[in-house]
Amino acid sequence: MADKKSSAENDVKNNPSQESELASLRHIVFGAAKADIEQQLQALSQRTNEHFQKLEQHTAQQFKNMQAAMDDGFQQLAQQLALADQAQDQKAAELNTYADKLSSELELADANNKQENDELHNRLDKEIALLTEKFNEQLNQALAKLNQVSNELNANKTDRKTLAKLLSTVATNLEIDDGE
């Protein structure tokens, strides 16, 4: 069958009038269908191109929207990061200020404590000196009285009982003076 077809085509090529008749027959038999198919192919091609263009426009619009959303998101993140950095810097400055304030207060308290300690030591030294002086004075008085009594006893030659009473009185007087 292929041989018949190729021999018919060779005959048509060799004879131009047969070729035009064959073309006319083809046009009559297949012309409307061919034109219809060509028209459908052209419409399909046009619709396909339109759909591709619409799809391309839609994809480009979606890409622009995604790019804009990403840019907005990045800007928001950058703003939030800047705010967080600013808040952290502010907190660090507050902490440093508070630490400086505490340090100053500690130095002031230390100076006050040293001054109070010095004043307390001076007061204690004065009190000790006063007590020592008072005790020495009372001791000297007691010794003087004891010497006086001893001299009187030697002079009067009193007996032991009287001496014991006298020493007891001196001891009681010393205890009373120490209590004051």
Side-chain angles (χ1 to χ4, degrees):
M1 177 115 165
D3 289 332
K4 286 182 185 177
K5 189 176 182 183
S6 65
S7 69
E9 286 177 7
N10 284 336
D11 288 343
V12 171
K13 287 182 186 178
N14 292 337
N15 191 354
S17 67
Q18 283 183 344
E19 189 176 314
S20 82
E21 277 182 30
L22 187 58
S24 296
L25 281 174
R26 278 187 192 157
H27 181 64
I28 293 172
V29 174
F30 299 113
K34 181 181 175 186
D36 190 34
I37 288 174
E38 285 177 356
Q39 186 180 9
Q40 286 179 356
L41 279 174
Q42 191 174 18
L44 181 64
S45 175
Q46 187 177 358
R47 281 192 314 247
T48 305
N49 284 339
E50 288 174 3
H51 285 294
F52 278 135
Q53 286 176 354
K54 286 180 183 178
L55 183 62
E56 188 176 76
Q57 289 174 353
H58 181 69
T59 304
Q61 185 63 36
Q62 281 184 336
F63 181 75
K64 285 179 186 177
N65 290 342
M66 283 178 23
Q67 186 69 32
M70 284 175 33
D71 289 343
D72 288 344
F74 288 145
Q75 287 177 355
Q76 288 176 356
L77 286 175
Q79 288 173 350
Q80 288 176 352
L81 185 59
L83 287 174
D85 284 346
Q86 186 179 18
Q88 186 178 9
D89 290 344
Q90 185 179 7
K91 291 292 182 186
E94 287 175 9
L95 286 175
N96 286 336
T97 303
Y98 187 66
D100 291 343
K101 182 181 175 183
L102 284 177
S103 177
S104 297
E105 287 178 3
L106 284 173
E107 287 175 8
L108 182 62
D110 189 36
N112 286 340
N113 283 341
K114 185 177 181 200
Q115 183 180 358
E116 287 175 2
N117 283 342
D118 290 345
E119 288 175 4
L120 185 61
H121 282 293
N122 289 339
R123 201 165 120 198
L124 283 174
D125 288 343
K126 286 178 184 178
E127 289 290 325
I128 289 171
L130 278 173
L131 286 174
T132 303
E133 185 180 323
K134 192 174 182 181
F135 179 74
N136 285 340
E137 185 181 311
Q138 287 178 355
L139 180 63
N140 287 338
Q141 286 175 359
L143 286 175
K145 199 170 191 177
L146 185 60
N147 281 337
Q148 179 187 2
V149 170
S150 177
N151 287 338
E152 285 177 10
L153 285 177
N154 282 338
N156 292 334
K157 294 197 180 186
T158 358
D159 63 8
R160 288 185 179 189
K161 285 185 180 179
T162 309
L163 183 60
K165 283 182 185 181
L166 185 60
L167 286 175
S168 173
T169 305
V170 170
T172 304
N173 288 339
L174 283 175
E175 285 180 6
I176 291 172
D177 287 341
D178 282 343
E180 291 176 4

